[in-house]
Amino acid sequence: MENENKFSTAKDIVEFLAEKFPKCFVVKGECKPLKIGLFNDLAERVCAETPELSKTRLRHALRFYTTRWNYLEAFKEGAARVDLDGNEVDTVTAEQVEYATKNLETSKSVFEQKKKSQNAGAKRKFVKKPFRKTDGEKSAEGAEKPARNRKFNGAARQNRNQNSGAYKGNSIGTESFEQIDITTVDVGSKVHVLCGGTKAVEATVIEMAKDVVGVELVTGMVIRVSPDRIGR
């Protein structure tokens, strides 16, 4: 069970491959184009030694790796392709550069559209509804304020207390907060965010920009923070 949890996501498998084949795979930074047909070599050398890692999951991880932006950006005409041991076995052709460039442009376009959609949704969430006066409320200047509804105020306080409990239950102390590499985070990732004070709050990434990350806290609040405040 422990080994299965170790490979629960494609990102986990890529980290494992980068550790096992450091001259071929990288977690972050500049990538090298991979040898065509590398999956067969990978399956032969990995699956036998690591039976809990199936060929299907290995294939998904390889696809995840080869569709990342930093991998597609590595395609330059004449650049060397490498095998699992880092040996140069082939070179990138002009046609392959064109294909990688188109995939990169498509991926970035989809990301931008998704980000715009999420931003629009976040703005709608914070639109204030106009205040509507009741029939019994006076509109003249100096009119009396309506009496407070004690039952409603009590319910409001109860909701605030409940929300406060939920907030604490999904937060960690700053001493347990661990900053993460922002390049390993994508829209939809679950993270913790330093929001001030002594707590880091659980959140979901909804926007990725150059110098800012948009997140939705477990409380429903949407905020934007600098990458150094994102962690686990």
Side-chain angles (χ1 to χ4, degrees):
M1 180 63 69
E2 182 179 351
N3 288 335
E4 290 181 359
N5 292 335
K6 180 181 178 181
F7 304 125
S8 59
T9 67
K11 190 178 299 184
D12 294 333
I13 299 174
V14 168
E15 291 177 354
F16 165 75
L17 295 178
E19 182 178 350
K20 188 173 182 63
F21 306 107
K23 294 183 180 180
C24 180
F25 295 96
V26 297
V27 173
K28 60 180 180 179
E30 186 176 352
C31 295
K32 297 179 180 179
L34 303 180
K35 166 190 173 182
I36 295 176
L38 184 77
F39 174 76
N40 293 330
D41 299 340
L42 196 60
E44 182 178 350
R45 293 179 60 173
V46 172
C47 293
E49 299 177 1
T50 317
E52 65 272 20
L53 184 55
S54 67
K55 287 186 178 181
T56 299
R57 296 170 73 183
L58 191 62
R59 191 185 299 276
H60 288 167
L62 188 61
R63 177 169 176 76
F64 169 78
Y65 184 84
T66 57
T67 54
R68 297 192 308 176
W69 292 359
N70 58 338
Y71 179 80
L72 295 174
E73 289 169 348
F75 275 71
K76 310 294 182 184
E77 186 173 358
R81 287 181 176 272
V82 298
D83 63 12
L84 292 175
D85 300 312
N87 300 314
E88 298 181 359
V89 296
D90 202 354
T91 56
V92 175
T93 66
E95 291 79 8
Q96 291 165 355
V97 172
E98 182 180 0
Y99 179 77
T101 301
K102 287 182 178 179
N103 283 345
L104 180 61
E105 291 174 350
T106 300
S107 178
K108 288 186 175 182
S109 176
V110 171
F111 174 78
E112 288 299 325
Q113 291 297 324
K114 187 174 182 179
K115 183 171 69 172
K116 289 179 180 179
S117 177
Q118 290 172 337
N119 288 342
K123 290 179 179 179
R124 286 196 297 270
K125 183 178 294 186
F126 287 99
V127 171
K128 293 184 178 180
K129 295 183 179 179
F131 177 73
R132 295 183 179 179
K133 297 181 179 180
T134 63
D135 294 338
E137 183 180 7
K138 297 180 180 180
S139 59
E141 184 177 354
E144 296 179 3
K145 295 182 179 179
R148 293 183 177 179
N149 187 322
R150 294 183 178 179
K151 182 178 180 180
F152 172 79
N153 290 338
R157 284 194 296 272
Q158 183 179 358
N159 287 338
R160 284 199 297 270
N161 291 336
Q162 290 174 345
N163 288 339
S164 175
Y167 182 91
K168 293 178 181 178
N170 291 279
S171 61
I172 59 175
T174 53
E175 69 278 1
S176 301
F177 177 81
E178 178 185 353
Q179 185 178 343
I180 58 178
D181 179 8
I182 199 63
T183 61
T184 66
V185 175
D186 200 353
V187 172
S189 296
K190 300 294 183 181
V191 297
H192 277 84
V193 180
L194 285 175
C195 297
T198 60
K199 296 292 183 181
V201 184
E202 184 178 340
T204 302
V205 177
I206 62 173
E207 175 189 354
M208 296 287 293
K210 182 178 180 181
D211 299 315
V212 70
V213 181
V215 298
E216 181 176 356
L217 306 182
V218 291
T219 58
M221 180 181 293
V222 174
I223 61 174
R224 292 180 175 85
V225 298
S226 57
D228 61 350
R229 292 169 64 185
I230 300 295
R232 61 167 62 91

